[in-house]
Amino acid sequence: MFFFVIRRLLAGIPLIFLVFLGIFFLVHAMPGDPSDFYIKPESPPAEIQLIREQMGLDKPLLVQLGKQSWNYAQLEFGKSFSKNVDVSKLILEALPNTLMLSALSLFLIFTLGTLMGILSAVKQYSFLDKGITLGSLFLYSMPSFWLALMMVYVVAHWFPSWPISGMVGETIRMKEAAIAESAMLNLPLPAGVAVGFWERIVDSLQHLVLPAIALGVAPAAGVARYARSSMLEVIRMDYIRTARAKGLPGWKVIFKHALRNSLIPIVTLLGLYLPFLISGAVLVETIFAWPGMGLLIVEGIFLRDYPVIIANGLLLSCLVIVGNLLADVLYGVVDPRISYD
Amino acid sequence: MNLPTRHASLWLGSFAASLLLFGACDKDQPGGGPKGSGKAPVVGGDNVPDGKDSGDTLVWAVSGDADGFLPTVGETATGGAMMDLLMPNVTQSGFEDGRLSFQPAWASSWEFSEDKKHLTLHLRKGILWDDGEPLTAKDLAFSYDLIGNPKSNSPRRPYLDNMDAEEPYTVLDDHTIRFNYKWAYNPQTMMAHAGMNPVPEHLLRDADPAHLREHDLNIKMPVGHGPFRLLDWKRGQSIRITRNPACKTLKVPYIQRIEARVIKEYATRMAELEKGAVDLMEGIEVKDIDRLRANSDIKIYRRGYRFMDYIAWNQTIPLFQDRRVRRALTMSLDIPKFIRSYLTTEGGEVTALPAYATVTPELSDFKEEGFQLLSFDTKKAVELLAEAGWKDSDGDGVLDREGEKFVFTMLTNSGNPRRKKMGVVVKEELGKIGVHVNLEYLEPNTFFGKLRQKDYEAAIAGWSAALFPDPAVMWMTETKEKPRAFNFTGYSNPEADKIMREMRKTADIVKEQKLMKRLLRIIYDDQPYTFLFWRAEYFALHKRFRGVHPNVLSVLYQIEDWWVPKSEQRYKF
């Protein structure tokens, strides 16, 4: 297993380099130029040239490519054109937020999806099965941005106390401001401004729920369909019949004997969903003002921020590789017959 | 244009030498030859403001984040609004009765020399930076040194364009500075060019101008002297500023704090506003105005005409070189009908005004009552096109000339429903006179790039209002030596050029008014654009805020006067 993982990771390196080449040339082929943002109405050509020099865009493309490849090999991602800070810093700021969101979404996708799939399969052709099938098809075909907008609208009007944007609630934000203010102006700390640990956790979870649902519902519906058909296949097998014949209760047959085998195709989906959750969060993060990777990527693209686009592109491709690797490793966990030698 | 934040601000920033980017900045004394004097502003010192209650937080939903807080390099609208509060300009702005005015702030008084080519500012003593260092004329001179350094690539470099190349400014002593101009021109603009937000010399003198954007003062903790100080900036999330009780440049505000929350999505900002989680929101769309007016917790304010839409006809291609053709196309469009249909609220409030120029109608000095617009007259339009040789000779419903069909592609930026509707209307209306239009929607940056490179046929685009309009930016003939990046249409008219050159050196307001009116007539008659309409800007504010003076300059105009009665204050911390 260990060597398998190492082998796969090493094989990923040339793949990542190819992805880098692809993104590099695509980014430079995009219409528009990052230096456009700095050009003034009467900028003389010499000034435009200076701007391009400062941004490193004056060199021939291949020279830029060579320099950037060397920098990336040393894990130096350069400075963002638009935000004036290291790209790695931007990613480190945004990545935890996105991972939080993705983790909750993944949890939703797989628990909810698998449960719906199992229920559907166990009660095949029942009213429940038909309801779940209809519901999951409905949710599967619903664009996440539309669902997100509807959630914003409904929650804002019917549950106005529930947060619909950002990461931190107003009580904590105001307390934080009061704390910062007293430190800056040397004022005594007002009573009751301390932010408790659990207060923060509950607040974060409240803010996570809507974007996680918007992001996870459609894939959960997809997982439900896969889980249903997989489970249907498994529960018709002889060993399930044997389990039933020896008098095991129904739930034990399903959850102990059938579930593990029916999970194999679902695990494949994990590898697919991991990068999707980050790239697919672009619209959801925009709507819920969730400061994650999606927002970073979309801003980078709009502002032609080459270092941000390339670094994020590489990160996503790494996630694809890791996601697939994770899926392969999990095959072994759910199916001991699979060997990695 | 619906461009990303940086672009949008560049749009404002470069529209004229001085701009709305730092909206609440700097204005003049009406009538020319301003001689500043008068009382210093009400000084806060260590006192909180008297009379009205102080406290509470203003939560402001912004669509874009700041890029930093250093005035020499800042380019975003949100950053600019914050900088005006953290390190205000030399003078305080005003805009009353369609005219800009300057009030003392850091500068207690100012005067022009007799030949109007020198402006001396007298700066108040005892003003301190947040770190306790005194604010002096050297700081202001240093700020101009920085924007003049090509390495810093400052968007405010055009401030120096009309100043003496050898000695643009002279520090006479720690509290007096003289600006030396090449020639006298509009005194308001001269004042504006001398009034930028200063940066602290003692903290930046060793900084590399090429890396100012990465400096801690820009991206971490700015040092200012204004009525607010930065509490924290969470990139992509929020900017929080707090009242500075030690401010001596301007009045200490009543509002304790301002929190700008970055929420990109309009629908989310609106939902937050309506549920009360956000107090202030700009850019209210026409469809929402009536509903918000019915909301008892919210007040809607109209700020005046700040944005215009136009159709650009690319005159570097033969199709649009004949002015009769351009005039005919304008005459085929029923612009008032579009305003009635799409820019009027259900309650009947008209939010737009047909445009005849790129100068906002808010500026009373340049406004011409009863300006004769081309009327909507398709019959006359067809005749004009026939004069220019365009007839439907083969009866296929599309005009042609020498075998060429009158077909063109009209671009606009994606993500702007209003322009999309306009495009559809234009296509339909021009189709009726035998002109076939293909519509194409482009990602904003691609669209902007095509405009700059004149790689298009026709385009629906827009401008933000400049309060010191310099028409040369978009109408002066472009040459190799003098590129005009924003003369998208390739417009060239020697008579207009002559007027614009003269205007740039005219200090007499009355003469400038005449020249401007003459120029706008010439340009309108040439129709390089079909000038569509000016749109009024609306903002929504929670009703608990008092003392608000809606103004075209800035949404936070005179924020130091805003206050909330104690009993209605929402945020206790």
Side-chain angles (χ1 to χ4, degrees):
Chain A
M1 167 85 91
F2 176 73
F3 289 108
F4 169 77
V5 172
I6 295 294
R7 207 165 56 231
R8 286 285 298 270
L9 285 177
L10 288 176
I13 292 174
L15 196 61
I16 287 172
F17 182 68
L18 283 176
V19 170
F20 168 68
L21 284 183
I23 300 175
F24 181 87
F25 286 111
L26 277 176
V27 157
H28 283 82
M30 276 201 294
D33 188 295
S35 63
D36 281 353
F37 298 111
Y38 298 96
I39 293 172
K40 292 172 277 295
E42 294 173 26
S43 294
E47 196 171 295
I48 296 172
Q49 179 62 17
L50 183 68
I51 296 168
R52 294 182 61 77
E53 267 174 39
Q54 284 179 359
M55 298 175 106
L57 299 169
D58 58 319
K59 306 272 187 315
L61 208 54
L62 285 179
V63 176
Q64 289 184 45
L65 175 67
K67 202 175 161 192
Q68 283 201 16
S69 307
W70 177 242
N71 288 343
Y72 278 89
Q74 297 174 85
L75 297 179
E76 277 181 25
F77 301 109
K79 277 206 174 355
S80 154
F81 290 159
S82 61
K83 299 190 191 302
N84 311 311
V85 290
D86 286 337
V87 174
S88 48
K89 186 175 161 56
L90 289 176
I91 291 177
L92 284 176
E93 280 173 5
L95 191 61
N97 302 338
T98 293
L99 287 180
M100 246 198 293
L101 181 56
S102 304
L104 189 60
S105 293
L106 271 181
F107 177 75
L108 272 179
I109 290 169
F110 286 97
T111 47
L112 214 70
T114 314
L115 275 176
M116 285 198 302
I118 293 171
L119 270 178
S120 223
V122 172
K123 307 277 180 195
Q124 197 185 8
Y125 303 133
S126 68
F127 184 72
L128 183 70
D129 177 30
K130 285 173 185 160
I132 289 176
T133 303
L134 187 72
S136 50
L137 279 176
F138 176 71
L139 292 173
Y140 194 64
S141 47
M142 190 186 296
S144 62
F145 74 89
W146 185 83
L147 178 65
L149 281 173
M150 287 304 109
M151 285 166 74
V152 163
Y153 182 80
V154 169
V155 172
H157 285 83
W158 296 95
F159 311 99
S161 58
W162 194 267
I164 54 168
S165 72
M167 281 183 70
V168 186
E170 68 181 33
T171 309
I172 293 184
R173 291 202 320 270
M174 295 302 152
K175 284 180 173 181
E176 282 175 348
I179 292 167
E181 210 166 63
S182 68
M184 174 186 275
L185 303 173
N186 289 322
L187 299 171
L189 205 60
V193 294
V195 182
F197 175 76
W198 287 109
E199 186 184 4
R200 204 176 278 279
I201 296 285
V202 169
D203 183 66
S204 292
L205 281 173
Q206 281 183 336
H207 283 80
L208 262 173
V209 168
L210 294 185
I213 292 175
L215 199 57
V217 154
V223 166
R225 302 301 300 153
Y226 282 107
R228 179 182 183 272
S229 57
S230 173
M231 183 58 83
L232 280 175
E233 207 173 294
V234 171
I235 54 177
R236 290 194 181 112
M237 292 202 159
D238 289 345
Y239 74 92
I240 297 293
R241 193 176 302 120
T242 310
R244 288 191 201 281
K246 72 180 181 183
L248 278 179
W251 64 269
K252 211 167 182 179
V253 173
I254 296 297
F255 286 100
K256 192 160 180 200
H257 295 263
L259 180 63
R260 203 162 154 177
N261 274 337
S262 73
L263 279 181
I264 295 176
I266 309 293
V267 165
T268 317
L269 293 175
L270 178 71
L272 292 174
Y273 281 142
L274 201 61
F276 161 80
L277 282 176
I278 290 178
S279 57
V282 169
L283 292 169
V284 169
E285 286 183 1
T286 305
I287 289 165
F288 292 106
W290 186 265
M293 298 285 289
L295 265 182
L296 190 63
I297 294 169
V298 82
E299 275 186 11
I301 292 170
F302 275 127
L303 295 171
R304 301 293 187 267
D305 198 335
Y306 293 170
V308 168
I309 305 173
I310 295 175
N312 280 293
L314 284 180
L315 188 71
L316 284 182
S317 53
C318 288
L319 283 173
V320 174
I321 291 169
V322 171
N324 279 307
L325 179 61
L326 200 63
D328 286 348
V329 171
L330 284 177
Y331 285 146
V333 176
V334 292
D335 187 352
R337 290 169 302 179
I338 294 173
S339 154
Y340 295 102
D341 296 328
Chain B
M1 308 171 74
N2 256 359
L3 296 169
T5 313
R6 177 172 288 244
H7 236 157
S9 58
L10 175 76
W11 217 236
L12 296 169
S14 38
F15 187 14
S18 306
L19 18 121
L20 277 179
L21 178 64
F22 289 91
C25 309
D26 23 29
K27 317 304 144 209
D28 90 323
Q29 306 281 42
K35 182 170 177 171
S37 61
K39 292 175 192 165
V42 180
V43 175
D46 293 323
N47 310 318
V48 289
D50 56 282
K52 299 156 187 167
D53 294 330
S54 61
D56 213 351
T57 297
L58 170 73
V59 181
W60 177 23
V62 292
S63 59
D65 200 0
D67 58 340
F69 303 99
L70 211 47
T72 48
V73 290
E75 307 209 34
T76 55
T78 303
M82 289 294 156
M83 282 183 251
D84 278 341
L85 302 175
L86 300 172
M87 60 237 17
N89 297 44
V90 176
T91 52
Q92 196 183 16
S93 58
F95 190 84
E96 305 295 335
D97 302 324
R99 277 189 161 152
L100 301 157
S101 64
F102 294 100
Q103 300 300 324
W106 178 26
S108 56
S109 63
W110 51 87
E111 75 261 344
F112 280 92
S113 62
E114 270 192 24
D115 64 359
K116 306 269 174 68
K117 284 168 63 178
H118 303 278
L119 168 63
T120 305
L121 301 177
H122 302 282
L123 307 171
R124 292 170 53 222
K125 294 173 188 169
I127 307 280
L128 302 177
W129 289 105
D130 295 336
D131 64 358
E133 289 292 315
L135 183 63
T136 71
K138 284 179 195 148
D139 290 305
L140 190 57
F142 178 73
S143 312
Y144 279 88
D145 288 346
L146 282 184
I147 66 169
N149 188 326
K151 281 188 183 170
S152 73
N153 182 29
S154 169
R156 265 155 282 294
R157 202 222 48 210
Y159 283 20
L160 292 163
D161 281 355
N162 293 337
M163 290 185 194
D164 185 80
E166 292 296 313
E167 194 179 348
Y169 34 85
T170 313
V171 176
L172 301 175
D173 62 45
D174 270 2
H175 303 287
T176 318
I177 185 169
R178 188 181 65 219
F179 286 86
N180 311 309
Y181 300 85
K182 289 180 200 160
W183 48 71
Y185 52 102
N186 182 314
Q188 300 176 358
T189 316
M190 289 173 83
M191 276 293 289
H193 287 169
M196 76 169 276
N197 317 49
V199 298
E201 190 237 351
H202 64 284
L203 297 174
L204 284 169
R205 69 170 73 101
D206 298 324
D208 177 358
H211 292 99
L212 283 178
R213 287 180 171 80
E214 300 145 28
H215 198 282
D216 276 0
L217 286 190
N218 190 42
I219 56 172
K220 275 192 184 155
M221 190 43 76
V223 171
H225 61 90
F228 286 90
R229 291 179 66 176
L230 182 75
L231 268 183
D232 56 15
W233 177 26
K234 292 183 180 168
R235 217 185 316 274
Q237 296 183 57
S238 67
I239 304 165
R240 286 189 284 216
I241 58 176
T242 184
R243 181 172 67 172
N244 178 12
C247 173
K248 292 182 177 175
T249 327
L250 293 170
K251 197 165 81 174
V252 175
Y254 301 99
I255 303 289
Q256 176 67 35
R257 248 177 260 141
I258 299 176
E259 181 185 50
R261 287 188 61 205
V262 183
I263 305 174
K264 287 195 175 298
E265 173 58 40
Y266 177 86
T268 312
R269 289 200 300 281
M270 181 55 70
E272 289 282 35
L273 174 79
E274 290 189 83
K275 81 187 186 95
V278 152
D279 298 317
L280 171 64
M281 177 178 165
E282 290 176 274
I284 304 296
E285 292 179 2
V286 176
K287 65 181 168 56
D288 296 317
I289 291 173
D290 284 345
R291 195 182 70 256
L292 289 179
R293 280 207 199 284
N295 186 327
S296 57
D297 288 334
I298 294 169
K299 275 184 92 170
I300 289 276
Y301 295 89
R302 182 175 168 132
R303 277 180 60 201
Y305 295 109
R306 295 192 66 238
F307 305 102
M308 76 159 296
D309 278 6
Y310 61 87
I311 304 172
W313 309 111
N314 185 353
Q315 289 137 69
T316 64
I317 60 168
L319 192 60
F320 298 120
Q321 277 168 358
D322 190 329
R323 125 180 158 144
R324 288 172 299 186
V325 171
R326 302 193 299 266
R327 288 172 69 87
L329 295 177
T330 299
M331 292 169 79
S332 315
L333 301 175
D334 192 350
I335 297 164
K337 186 180 166 193
F338 186 85
I339 293 175
R340 282 197 304 276
S341 308
Y342 299 107
L343 297 169
T344 302
T345 67
E346 283 182 14
E349 185 172 339
V350 181
T351 68
L353 184 74
Y356 62 85
T358 49
V359 179
T360 170
E362 295 297 332
L363 289 171
S364 57
D365 279 341
F366 303 129
K367 191 175 174 182
E368 191 167 339
E369 296 296 342
F371 189 97
Q372 196 61 44
L373 295 166
L374 288 173
S375 53
F376 170 59
D377 186 344
T378 47
K379 195 168 161 245
K380 179 91 176 126
V382 171
E383 283 169 18
L384 270 176
L385 287 170
E387 262 180 51
W390 292 100
K391 289 175 187 162
D392 185 10
S393 58
D394 54 7
D396 68 346
V398 180
L399 301 178
D400 55 84
R401 184 178 66 180
E402 295 163 9
E404 186 198 357
K405 297 275 181 199
F406 203 142
V407 177
F408 64 89
T409 299
M410 179 175 282
L411 307 181
T412 195
N413 52 307
S414 53
N416 185 323
R418 185 187 63 259
R419 299 225 175 103
K420 200 171 179 180
K421 276 177 205 152
M422 191 71 221
V424 173
V425 169
V426 170
K427 182 182 169 77
E428 195 182 309
E429 305 256 297
L430 294 188
K432 289 178 192 164
I433 60 160
V435 174
H436 184 76
V437 182
N438 296 310
L439 293 173
E440 202 176 317
Y441 307 101
L442 294 178
E443 181 267 334
N445 288 299
T446 311
F447 174 62
F448 177 62
K450 282 188 176 281
L451 283 182
R452 277 204 326 111
Q453 290 153 18
K454 301 183 182 59
D455 178 19
Y456 71 101
E457 292 177 308
I460 306 177
W463 288 111
S464 299
L467 295 175
F468 312 101
D470 179 3
V473 168
M474 63 203 89
W475 304 123
M476 187 79 99
T477 301
E478 188 170 40
T479 63
K480 256 190 182 167
E481 297 73 40
K482 276 273 179 194
R484 309 271 170 196
F486 292 169
N487 183 350
F488 301 140
T489 60
Y491 178 71
S492 175
N493 181 326
E495 195 187 348
D497 286 351
K498 197 176 150 212
I499 296 175
M500 284 184 277
R501 274 194 290 271
E502 202 178 337
M503 271 175 64
R504 279 193 159 183
K505 296 183 182 178
T506 299
D508 179 350
I509 286 267
V510 177
K511 189 178 170 194
E512 192 191 8
Q513 285 172 353
K514 281 185 185 160
L515 287 171
M516 179 71 97
K517 285 177 182 175
R518 170 93 191 106
L519 175 74
L520 298 185
R521 186 76 248 178
I522 290 171
I523 294 171
Y524 186 82
D525 287 346
D526 283 343
Q527 289 287 303
Y529 291 169
T530 290
F531 298 92
L532 294 171
F533 38 76
W534 279 96
R535 286 184 298 115
E537 156 72 6
Y538 290 79
F539 71 89
L541 180 66
H542 194 274
K543 68 166 185 194
R544 71 182 190 277
F545 291 90
R546 316 286 210 276
V548 181
H549 312 289
N551 197 292
V552 74
L553 279 182
S554 156
V555 70
L556 299 180
Y557 183 69
Q558 293 183 348
I559 183 74
E560 60 274 15
D561 285 341
W562 294 23
W563 67 286
V564 182
K566 222 39 169 192
S567 58
E568 295 178 33
Q569 290 184 3
R570 174 169 179 169
Y571 301 106
K572 304 298 176 195
F573 290 119

